[in-house]
Amino acid sequence: MKLASASLAAAVLAAAVGAQSITLNGQTGHVNVYLGQSVTFQLVGPPNAPGLWAFDVSPGPVVVGTTSIPLGVTPFMLEIMGGAPLPPTGVLTVTFDLPPIPALEGTTLYTAAAFVDPSAPDGFSVTNGLSFTFVGTKPSAGGDGATLVGEPITLVGSATTPLQPNLTPSWVVSSAPAGAIYVLDHADTFRPVFTATTPGTYEFAVSYAGGFPGQELFVDLALIDVYDVTFTSPVDGSFGSGTFAVSGTIAGPTPSSFTINGAPAALTPAGPGVASFSVASLTPAPVGQTALVSATATSASGAKATKTVTRLLGAGQAISTPALPAAALRVNGLSLDPLEPFVEQLLGSIDFSSIFSAIPPIPVANVTAPFPPGFVIFSATVQPQSFTYDPTVDLDFAPGTNCGVATTLTFTNVVITSNVTGKIFNVNYAEQAIITATSAVISGDMVFVTGPNGAEVQMQNSTATLNGFALTVTGALQSVSQLGTLQAGLQTIVETALASSLQLLPPLVNPLLATFNAQTFDLSGSGVPLTVGFPLASFCYDAAGITAGLGLALTPLATGTETPTLTHYRTTPGATPTFGATTPVLALPYTTAVSMNDDTVNVLFATLTTLGTLNLDLTGALGAVALDAGTLATALPNAGFEAFAPATPVTVRVRHTAAPSLTLAAGSPAQGVSDLPNVKVAFYAELGTHAAPVFEASLTATSTVGLSIDPVTQAFTLTPIASASTTLVETDLPGYSAAAATAALNTLLQPVVAQLLTALSAAPVPTGGAAGVQEISVAGDNIAFYF
């Protein structure tokens, strides 16, 4: 029994000793505690037992009686309980915020506690020993970087451990060029975005804000070099061919190296903080009809910033003088005959008498005798008075010469009265002359000219003939031998007046051209702030129908942001569109056909580029591929996506710096070539509070395309068939280099080419009200749509 009692006592004692414990943040042994974080100690011992809790820089142990205490006793010892009892539960929990004081960083402390315990051999029991080291939470400002003026760059900060809710990063620009203009957004996050319009070196300091005194002592620095690279030649989007000179300036910190298209280029001082560069002869490898020029400045930290411009190979035309004709509208089998009754009705309402009564007196005869002086044998001055005819006027339109419209007006049962005054053998007379004719036929050519409101008609080569002419006179005129002279003069006056009356026709016909002149498409409903008009510029009437030549009128309804100012668009040698009697491939008759040349398409592209409507925001996807930082970190290693949580969505933003272009060339399946010069493709990590730019690249591409048209929206569809592209990385996240993954990036961006071509499908087609496209054909530099 004594043996059993001894064993039981030992077991109880062991249980009592094991119940004494100390933990830090739930751990025993050694713990790292982060300055600026919350810490929790928990003591477990006999309920209500008085205790001593000590800390020291020495782990001990110290032996008291027969008990070993796992703690040293030095002059630095700190005891905090002072004999106070444990709670009735036997558990004491202490939580407090650890001040982020730099002097504590790296210090290791040891702690243990002892409690009054009469059952213990020495009258007290001891907890386990615990050690902990203060670890600094100094923020990191990340690597140094480089960028261009106006181009945002994301600073890559971090913390040793997740911060408490009352601690946030705080970024400031601690050093900047004199008079610098810049913006630092989201300075209370670890991914602030910096944009400067002043070149130079900027120093950034990150510390912690909120929480504890002394947190401002935890500071880290980063440098961003901002360069301003300006090309004086070539200008982005300018036209030319072959070898050309490259020149410009660079402002900002002196780069450790400077290259043009990868080759070292010398810099010549050109003023404080400014250097010039010049390459007399550059022959870059073109991509399609685009030659890319890149200038790269490498900062002292090794970060790179690249500025790219494009030289467009070929010829350009000023946007202010678009192609003419821009398009042609052909309507087969359309006669002007249906217009005749309508115009005849309008002619019937005209007071032709007023035309004649407005004619001033006209001398038609003056026969004098040689003696006596001033003796008049016969004279006659005619003053037309009235013009009457049967109520109906017959109008006939027929194809004329040189695409004009032969126009004939016929008045029947014409009666014209005139007053005739003069002298017979020096005796004054005043009589009336009445002309009758079975018909008066007026003919002329109606031709089309460009006026302020589009195409207008003019009458040319007007003539008039009186058929069945008869003259009746009264009084003294009946016996005048010069009556034949009077009759001829009267006929000339009347026929001249009738011929001039044909000028009444244009004011009647011009309003009927409004349908053609008003071929205008308002694209604002589809998100494009632009109206595109195809005013009537020419008109050709032949036996088979009508062909209308159309101009181009562009009216921007808004101003784009982040868009270039373009002055020219690509042009190609032009050819006048022709239309056969049937569609060229299917040999089917058509009602309406529309032709547009590629110059017209290109001036539309240039206008849409300046409006910014061709820019894209591919939210969370690149083509059919969903994008996040984790996916891209795998596809493009070291491009900067590793700096973000893998699930962070990534947005691709696309903007044009020069106008895309289309060059038509008949073929199958390819019917043209589309060039996409110097498209800026920027990747942004979407952080919820803001979008952080990761890097920006320049994409230049060319693609053979097939063409089709949507019969409902009348919009082009350009389908890529074979594409070639090149990609240059322009700016990087500090500490990363996307250029190392350029080949993979170029492959990744291929869906952008297709999406850009889709975005170009905004060029409307003048249809003349027709619908239902039968086919499309390309001839020369024109594309024809047959309805």
Side-chain angles (χ1 to χ4, degrees):
M1 292 296 294
K2 289 184 178 179
L3 180 59
S5 298
S7 299
L8 179 60
V12 171
L13 179 60
V17 173
Q20 329 306 316
S21 66
I22 183 170
T23 60
L24 173 55
N25 290 344
Q27 301 181 54
T28 60
H30 183 79
V31 183
N32 284 333
V33 294
Y34 293 96
L35 296 171
Q37 302 299 295
S38 177
V39 296
T40 299
F41 284 93
Q42 189 175 77
L43 295 181
V44 177
N48 301 311
L52 300 173
W53 183 9
F55 296 81
D56 205 321
V57 295
S58 171
V62 174
V63 179
V64 179
T66 61
T67 302
S68 176
I69 301 175
L71 186 67
V73 178
T74 73
F76 298 101
M77 173 179 267
L78 173 66
E79 198 285 323
I80 61 172
M81 283 189 68
L86 284 174
T89 60
V91 178
L92 174 63
T93 301
V94 178
T95 298
F96 61 93
D97 293 328
L98 195 61
I101 301 175
L104 294 177
E105 187 172 3
T107 301
T108 299
L109 294 181
Y110 303 86
T111 185
F115 306 101
V116 174
D117 186 356
S119 65
D122 294 313
F124 64 92
S125 57
V126 180
T127 67
N128 58 292
L130 177 72
S131 64
F132 56 93
T133 300
F134 295 109
V135 178
T137 58
K138 182 178 180 180
S140 170
D144 297 336
T147 188
L148 301 169
V149 293
E151 292 295 331
I153 187 170
T154 301
L155 296 162
V156 189
S158 60
T160 307
T161 184
L163 296 179
Q164 292 182 167
N166 60 340
L167 281 183
T168 58
S170 176
W171 294 79
V172 295
V173 178
S174 52
S175 177
I181 299 175
Y182 58 85
V183 175
L184 181 62
D185 288 323
H186 311 287
D188 58 350
T189 73
F190 278 120
R191 298 291 182 271
V193 179
F194 172 70
T195 309
T197 56
T198 305
T201 298
Y202 294 77
E203 181 185 74
F204 298 85
V206 59
S207 61
Y208 291 137
F212 308 102
Q215 77 274 350
E216 68 277 359
L217 300 178
F218 290 80
V219 176
D220 194 31
L221 303 177
L223 298 177
I224 299 294
D225 288 327
V226 179
Y227 295 97
D228 185 7
V229 178
T230 302
F231 283 89
T232 54
S233 175
V235 177
D236 198 29
S238 60
F239 288 86
S241 297
T243 300
F244 51 88
V246 175
S247 61
T249 60
I250 177 173
T254 302
S256 61
S257 68
F258 182 76
T259 61
I260 299 292
N261 280 17
L267 294 176
T268 303
V274 180
S276 63
F277 58 87
S278 178
V279 178
S281 179
L282 183 69
T283 309
V287 179
Q289 292 296 306
T290 302
L292 198 65
V293 183
S294 63
T296 301
T298 303
S299 69
S301 67
K304 299 178 183 296
T306 299
K307 175 72 173 288
T308 57
V309 298
T310 51
R311 176 83 158 184
L312 304 180
L313 304 179
Q317 172 91 344
I319 291 179
S320 57
T321 56
L324 188 68
L329 173 64
R330 172 69 179 173
V331 184
N332 257 1
L334 181 62
S335 170
L336 295 180
D337 293 347
L339 291 178
E340 293 172 2
F342 181 71
V343 179
E344 288 171 354
Q345 184 178 2
L346 295 176
L347 288 170
S349 64
I350 294 177
D351 181 10
F352 281 92
S353 288
S354 63
I355 298 174
F356 284 84
S357 62
I359 298 175
I362 302 173
V364 296
N366 187 27
V367 181
T368 61
F371 185 83
F375 187 84
V376 177
I377 297 175
F378 176 72
S379 67
T381 297
V382 176
Q383 172 66 65
Q385 293 294 309
S386 65
F387 175 88
T388 61
Y389 54 93
D390 279 355
T392 59
V393 179
D394 182 64
L395 171 68
D396 182 64
F397 291 134
T401 59
N402 298 323
C403 289
V405 179
T407 305
T408 303
L409 282 177
T410 301
F411 299 88
T412 57
N413 298 325
V414 173
V415 177
I416 302 169
T417 62
S418 299
N419 290 332
V420 184
T421 58
K423 291 183 179 181
I424 300 176
F425 295 109
N426 223 37
V427 177
N428 292 330
Y429 71 90
E431 304 292 347
Q432 186 179 64
I434 299 175
I435 296 175
T436 60
T438 55
S439 66
V441 179
I442 310 170
S443 62
D445 294 323
M446 186 165 58
V447 296
F448 295 81
V449 298
T450 301
N453 299 314
E456 298 178 352
V457 298
Q458 287 184 353
M459 300 306 304
Q460 297 178 355
N461 306 320
S462 299
T463 61
T465 301
L466 293 173
N467 297 312
F469 180 91
L471 174 65
T472 302
V473 294
T474 59
L477 290 178
Q478 295 180 15
S479 60
V480 174
S481 61
Q482 288 87 0
L483 192 60
T485 301
L486 177 62
Q487 177 174 314
L490 283 170
Q491 184 169 355
T492 299
I493 292 172
V494 170
E495 290 179 342
T496 300
L498 287 172
S500 67
S501 70
L502 207 56
Q503 298 304 319
L504 296 173
L505 198 57
L508 302 180
V509 174
N510 283 334
L512 304 181
L513 299 178
T515 301
F516 290 102
N517 284 334
Q519 281 283 322
T520 300
F521 298 82
D522 186 349
L523 306 183
S524 57
S526 57
V528 181
L530 179 71
T531 59
V532 181
F534 293 92
L536 188 62
S538 64
F539 195 90
C540 186
Y541 185 36
D542 57 34
I546 293 174
T547 302
L550 306 179
L552 182 63
L554 304 174
T555 306
L557 305 177
T559 302
T561 58
E562 292 186 341
T563 58
T565 301
L566 302 180
T567 59
H568 290 72
Y569 63 96
R570 186 185 300 284
T571 60
T572 58
T576 302
T578 58
F579 302 95
T582 60
T583 59
V585 177
L586 302 178
L588 297 174
Y590 64 92
T591 301
T592 305
V594 175
S595 176
M596 292 178 64
N597 57 35
D598 51 19
D599 287 6
T600 300
V601 176
N602 290 340
V603 74
L604 280 170
F605 287 171
T607 304
L608 295 173
T609 300
T610 60
L611 289 174
T613 56
L614 298 182
N615 296 340
L616 301 177
D617 186 350
L618 309 179
T619 303
L622 192 63
V625 180
L627 295 185
D628 55 44
T631 301
L632 290 173
T634 301
L636 304 172
N638 200 41
F641 298 104
E642 297 89 342
F644 303 90
T648 303
V650 174
T651 294
V652 180
R653 302 182 190 179
V654 180
R655 72 182 193 276
H656 294 262
T657 66
S661 64
L662 175 67
T663 303
L664 293 171
S668 179
Q671 296 168 300
V673 177
S674 179
D675 285 280
L676 302 169
N678 200 9
V679 180
K680 305 298 183 184
V681 183
F683 288 79
Y684 286 79
E686 301 294 337
L687 300 179
T689 58
H690 65 290
V694 182
F695 70 88
E696 182 172 273
S698 168
L699 173 69
T700 298
T702 183
S703 179
T704 56
V705 294
L707 286 82
S708 59
I709 190 172
D710 187 316
V712 176
T713 64
Q714 299 301 312
F716 282 114
T717 298
L718 305 179
T719 304
I721 296 174
S723 299
S725 62
T726 185
T727 303
L728 289 175
V729 176
E730 297 189 330
T731 58
D732 286 297
L733 206 66
Y736 296 88
S737 176
T742 297
L745 176 63
N746 195 50
T747 300
L748 182 72
L749 292 181
Q750 287 310 300
V752 172
V753 176
Q755 287 169 299
L756 287 171
L757 292 175
T758 300
L760 298 184
S761 301
V765 177
T767 63
V773 179
Q774 291 182 1
E775 68 173 291
I776 292 177
S777 69
V778 174
D781 65 344
N782 292 274
I783 179 172
F785 309 91
Y786 292 90
F787 300 86

